Amino acid sequence: MYWSRFLSLHALWVTVSSMMQHYPSVWGHYDVCKTQIYTEEGKVWDYMACQPEARDMIKYVKVTLDPPDITCGDPPETFCAMGNPYMCNNECDASTQELAHPPELMFDLEGRHPSTFWQSTTWKDYPKPLHVNITLSWNKTIELTDNIVITFESGRPDQMILEKSLDYGRTWQPYQYYATDCLDAFHMDPKSVRDLSQHTVLEIICTEEYSTGYMTNSKIIHFEIKDRFAFFAGPRLHNMASLYGQLDTTKKLRDFFTITDLRIRLLRPATGEIYVDEQHLARYFYAISDIRVYGRCKCNLHATGCKEENKRLLCECEHNTTGPDCGKCKKNYQGRPWSPGSYLPIPKGTANICIPSISSIGNPPKFDRIWPNISSLEVSKPNQANVCDNELLHCQNGGTCINNVRCQCPPAYTGILCEKLKCERDPGGCGQNSGQGAMAHRPLVLLTALLAAAGLCTW
């Protein structure tokens, strides 16, 4: 009896799960660029938006320090212990491996005993500021997917700025300010990411949360990426549909999480007090044991792989695109302007592949081993005005831009850019069961009906 009921429930669950694959609760991971499908015209490629997996980007970083001679040990000098700032018999000596603290120790694998770390010279030139710029460069556009984490072996600095560049270090913008006193240091009121919202997620804030002094259990500084994602995807990032939709249609938001370089500007070391003890300047320095940056190569949704070649990261482009970021069409595939892929519509996104140039159609180049009929290429008509372009004029609500001349809308929407609900034209207006509301409730209603039919539903 119970076994038959279990089998019935299992069969119902499999049925409902397969049907729910068509609804927004399930989103693709964009880990496949194309699959083969069969049509009336034969076997062709079905193209999808795709992106590389997130990875530890520190493996590919190049680090530079300014000033270049700021690392301790040349000449050797003594500094004070972290736990006891008045025990100043520790030594930094660049000529001895066991006593050296070079920059690469910010990125090595950390063992438990002992920890390894980079260390600056001490504040021996006080009151001249002890300023250090640590620049992390990838020579590649990176999309951040997790928090940036910096672990200090010294006390966390009293003042610090995290900056980003989108043009390989030519220009810089602040990402976040850190201080023990934001108003005094940067003339900004202190805030945390929890004080932000969807509408203010791009605000550059100053936080006092990560700027305590010599506390041994407080070594870490965060730049919170996931907390910003959560404004759109929910606290546990379950609603990635909303996040992808925002990233797809809001260029400023997409650019906010995109970098080519990071710069850590250390402006004042941890003092742990209001005044600097000029009699014990060996207490004050910077030391970093670990930096973590997780992200993926930006490939404009045209690649699932990113390889290192000649010490440079390059996207393994598909969709007939090419370039370090898949940012242009291949030769002979320029039948329409290049466009990035799109996360929408659910669940495959839009590949926006590059199509053969009109001049090459008579003698077509190889098209990834399968050449579809010319009629399926949807070559744009010359001199046709752009209705949508996937960059400024987006099809809304999951609509798909077709050859820049029209939006193909989901069943519940209409309008030039799919901006209107069809039910708004009906005399009864848009009720609870119209549009997306109907789609959201449909699996639950179906499950209830199936359970009732099987005699397993008691409510």
Side-chain angles (χ1 to χ4, degrees):
M1 175 69 176
Y2 291 106
W3 180 246
S4 62
R5 284 197 172 192
F6 171 79
L7 291 176
S8 299
L9 278 171
H10 177 73
L12 286 168
W13 174 246
V14 170
T15 301
V16 173
S17 296
S18 64
M19 297 185 71
M20 288 177 68
Q21 296 297 316
H22 301 287
Y23 296 96
S25 58
V26 178
W27 275 74
H29 297 288
Y30 305 100
D31 53 359
V32 177
C33 289
K34 61 187 177 183
T35 57
Q36 291 183 353
I37 61 173
Y38 291 87
T39 69
E40 295 178 355
E41 300 173 350
K43 188 163 60 173
V44 297
W45 287 115
D46 181 28
Y47 292 91
M48 295 159 283
C50 52
Q51 63 186 5
E53 290 185 358
R55 61 175 84 174
D56 180 3
M57 300 309 300
I58 286 298
K59 296 178 181 179
Y60 312 99
V61 74
K62 175 185 176 183
V63 60
T64 55
L65 271 63
D66 181 31
D69 59 350
I70 196 66
T71 300
C72 69
D74 187 16
E77 62 179 310
T78 56
F79 61 94
C80 305
M82 301 300 106
N84 185 350
Y86 294 100
M87 184 180 292
C88 301
N89 57 357
N90 294 287
E91 187 176 3
C92 180
D93 186 349
S95 63
T96 305
Q97 183 176 359
E98 292 78 11
L99 301 176
H101 298 284
E104 54 265 28
L105 295 184
M106 287 187 275
F107 312 110
D108 64 330
L109 294 175
E110 286 294 318
R112 296 185 63 182
H113 303 290
S115 60
T116 56
F117 52 92
W118 163 82
Q119 183 173 314
S120 75
T121 58
T122 60
W123 205 357
K124 53 191 174 185
D125 293 331
Y126 179 85
K128 179 183 176 182
L130 184 60
H131 288 177
V132 182
N133 288 342
I134 303 172
T135 303
L136 312 180
S137 304
W138 284 271
N139 199 23
K140 174 75 180 76
T141 311
I142 304 298
E143 295 174 328
L144 299 174
T145 59
D146 207 337
N147 294 353
I148 297 169
V149 182
I150 306 169
T151 304
F152 283 83
E153 190 64 23
S154 63
R156 297 183 293 192
D158 284 355
Q159 296 176 17
M160 180 187 119
I161 308 174
L162 182 65
E163 297 179 323
K164 61 168 285 188
S165 175
L166 258 174
D167 54 11
Y168 305 96
R170 287 187 288 273
T171 61
W172 295 90
Q173 303 85 40
Y175 237 170
Q176 191 151 295
Y177 296 86
Y178 301 82
T180 52
D181 188 332
C182 285
L183 198 59
D184 178 67
F186 301 115
H187 310 291
M188 300 171 69
D189 291 325
K191 283 187 179 181
S192 71
V193 174
R194 294 181 293 274
D195 298 320
L196 302 177
S197 67
Q198 282 191 13
H199 302 293
T200 61
V201 68
L202 303 183
E203 181 182 346
I204 308 303
I205 65 172
C206 178
T207 179
E208 298 176 356
E209 190 172 355
Y210 301 108
S211 301
T212 53
Y214 275 94
M215 295 175 62
T216 56
N217 62 340
S218 301
K219 294 183 176 183
I220 295 176
I221 283 180
H222 283 264
F223 178 72
E224 300 95 337
I225 296 290
K226 283 191 170 180
D227 285 350
R228 289 171 168 84
F229 285 167
F231 290 123
F232 306 100
R236 296 185 180 180
L237 305 183
H238 287 326
N239 186 13
M240 293 301 289
S242 176
L243 174 62
Y244 285 146
Q246 291 292 331
L247 292 173
D248 215 54
T249 56
T250 311
K251 187 176 185 299
K252 286 185 177 180
L253 183 66
R254 190 166 64 247
D255 286 348
F256 184 81
F257 299 110
T258 304
I259 62 170
T260 58
D261 305 77
L262 284 172
R263 184 162 69 187
I264 303 166
R265 293 182 58 195
L266 304 172
L267 303 179
R268 182 182 171 90
T271 60
E273 54 198 23
I274 298 176
Y275 300 104
V276 173
D277 183 355
E278 297 184 42
Q279 302 302 314
H280 298 88
L281 292 176
R283 295 174 55 187
Y284 310 118
F285 54 89
Y286 307 107
I288 296 177
S289 62
D290 192 44
I291 299 177
R292 297 182 187 179
V293 180
Y294 281 88
R296 61 169 56 92
C297 294
K298 179 181 179 180
C299 300
N300 287 296
L301 296 179
H302 288 311
T304 58
C306 190
K307 62 183 179 181
E308 189 175 18
E309 190 173 289
N310 297 324
K311 296 185 178 180
R312 186 180 183 186
L313 287 170
L314 298 172
C315 295
E316 298 178 289
C317 301
E318 300 203 39
H319 300 160
N320 305 314
T321 61
T322 187
D325 301 341
C326 307
K328 61 182 181 179
C329 293
K330 286 182 178 179
K331 184 180 180 181
N332 295 327
Y333 287 91
Q334 298 165 347
R336 64 182 176 197
W338 174 90
S339 179
S342 169
Y343 286 112
L344 302 175
I346 306 164
K348 298 179 180 180
T350 305
N352 292 327
I353 66 169
C354 292
I355 64 174
S357 306
I358 294 176
S359 60
S360 69
I361 289 179
N363 184 23
K366 291 182 180 179
F367 197 81
D368 286 332
R369 299 186 303 278
I370 296 179
W371 174 253
N373 290 340
I374 299 303
S375 60
S376 69
L377 294 178
E378 298 179 331
V379 177
S380 300
K381 297 179 181 179
N383 303 321
Q384 184 117 28
N386 281 9
V387 171
C388 50
D389 59 16
N390 290 304
E391 186 64 24
L392 297 175
L393 301 173
H394 293 276
C395 300
Q396 301 176 25
N397 298 304
T400 305
C401 183
I402 305 297
N403 295 328
N404 304 116
V405 298
R406 68 183 180 89
C407 288
Q408 180 175 309
C409 301
Y413 292 91
T414 186
I416 295 176
L417 295 175
C418 308
E419 73 277 11
K420 300 177 183 178
L421 279 167
K422 284 184 178 178
C423 56
E424 292 178 349
R425 301 181 301 185
D426 299 335
C430 297
Q432 183 179 4
N433 294 325
S434 63
Q436 293 180 331
M439 292 182 70
H441 293 294
R442 188 172 174 182
L444 182 59
V445 173
L446 177 61
L447 177 60
T448 304
L450 289 170
L451 289 171
L456 299 171
C457 184
T458 58
W459 63 85

